[in-house]
Amino acid sequence: MSNKAEDPRVRNQFRKIHAIFNHKSFFANMQEEDMPFKVFLNIKDPTLWKAMGEDNLKILKTTQNLDGLIPAIADVIPEEMSIETRLKAKLAEYRTDLQIGTRFDEKMSYFLTTSLINYEFERLTGQTFAAEEFQDAVRNYVPSGHTFKAFPIQMVTKDISKIFRALKNAPKCDEIMRTKGDQVYFAIKVRIVPYPEKIFALWISVAVRYLSIE
């Protein structure tokens, strides 16, 4: 192969290409560029790729299985729902202290799922996913004359107190949580993306729609 990695699947799934390998060969990228669309894939060119010697490959041990890894959590939906419920209670309590009522819109919460999936996908690949579809869904759902605001955040903890403190400390999110107006409705959506070894990405979006009374 002499062409660059022009296949769109490569661009969507990989941010950089440092090596190419299988169970028989290993080639290290010697090029100045490692972005997929700039890398030449001619592994027969020694100025572009450095092959690992056969003797070095032979001494590598083959792993038949990865039983030592703790698998990712299979079902995270109950935990997502639990975190959402507790965050809603925290938000309602916060607004009660401000002498403001709180109402939630479950349908609006559903729309936020797409955006949270997109944030994690973009973090991993640098590509966006269904961003236009999310914007269209919001425009079609939010009533005319109403304002829609949303604030996403990624956390490395599932501790509700720490999460809500982070939300309050973010000026834009705190502004959303203090919203006053007519027909004010909130939505909170939680997305947990599990990875092996008990690692996870926790995304939260706090949104509001309202009719301004100013």
Side-chain angles (χ1 to χ4, degrees), residues 35-105:
M35 301 297 290
F37 57 90
K38 294 184 178 180
V39 172
F40 286 90
L41 300 180
N42 183 8
I43 57 176
K44 295 182 179 181
D45 188 336
T47 65
L48 302 177
W49 298 91
K50 180 175 177 60
M52 180 180 286
E54 292 185 6
D55 293 339
N56 291 330
L57 286 171
K58 290 179 180 178
I59 64 176
L60 296 177
K61 295 181 180 180
T62 302
T63 301
Q64 299 297 331
N65 57 65
L66 296 175
D67 291 340
L69 289 177
I70 300 174
I73 301 172
D75 186 7
V76 297
I77 294 179
E79 191 169 17
E80 290 174 344
M81 295 178 63
S82 174
I83 295 175
E84 286 176 14
T85 299
R86 287 181 286 168
L87 285 177
K88 288 178 181 178
K90 281 281 191 182
L91 175 57
E93 180 183 356
Y94 180 51
R95 287 175 60 82
T96 297
D97 292 340
L98 298 173
Q99 299 182 343
I100 316 173
T102 307
R103 293 181 294 181
F104 292 95
D105 183 338

Side-chain angles (χ1 to χ4, degrees), residues 12 35 64 89 91 100 135 163 166 171 185 190 200 211-212 214:
N12 291 337
M35 301 297 290
Q64 299 297 331
L91 175 57
I100 316 173
Q135 294 173 5
I163 292 174
Y185 287 90
V190 173
F200 62 90
L211 182 63
S212 178
E214 295 180 0

Side-chain angles (χ1 to χ4, degrees), residues 173-193:
C173 186
D174 192 49
E175 177 183 328
I176 288 175
M177 296 193 296
R178 290 171 172 265
T179 297
K180 294 180 181 180
D182 190 20
Q183 302 179 45
V184 179
Y185 287 90
F186 289 91
I188 294 179
K189 194 64 182 178
V190 173
R191 173 80 176 179
I192 299 174
V193 184

Side-chain angles (χ1 to χ4, degrees), residues 13-55:
Q13 297 180 24
F14 300 96
R15 298 180 67 179
K16 296 182 179 181
I17 300 178
H18 298 292
I20 296 177
F21 62 91
N22 59 19
H23 63 294
K24 294 182 178 180
S25 306
F26 186 100
F27 296 88
N29 185 5
M30 300 289 288
Q31 302 165 66
E32 293 183 3
E33 298 290 349
D34 54 17
M35 301 297 290
F37 57 90
K38 294 184 178 180
V39 172
F40 286 90
L41 300 180
N42 183 8
I43 57 176
K44 295 182 179 181
D45 188 336
T47 65
L48 302 177
W49 298 91
K50 180 175 177 60
M52 180 180 286
E54 292 185 6
D55 293 339

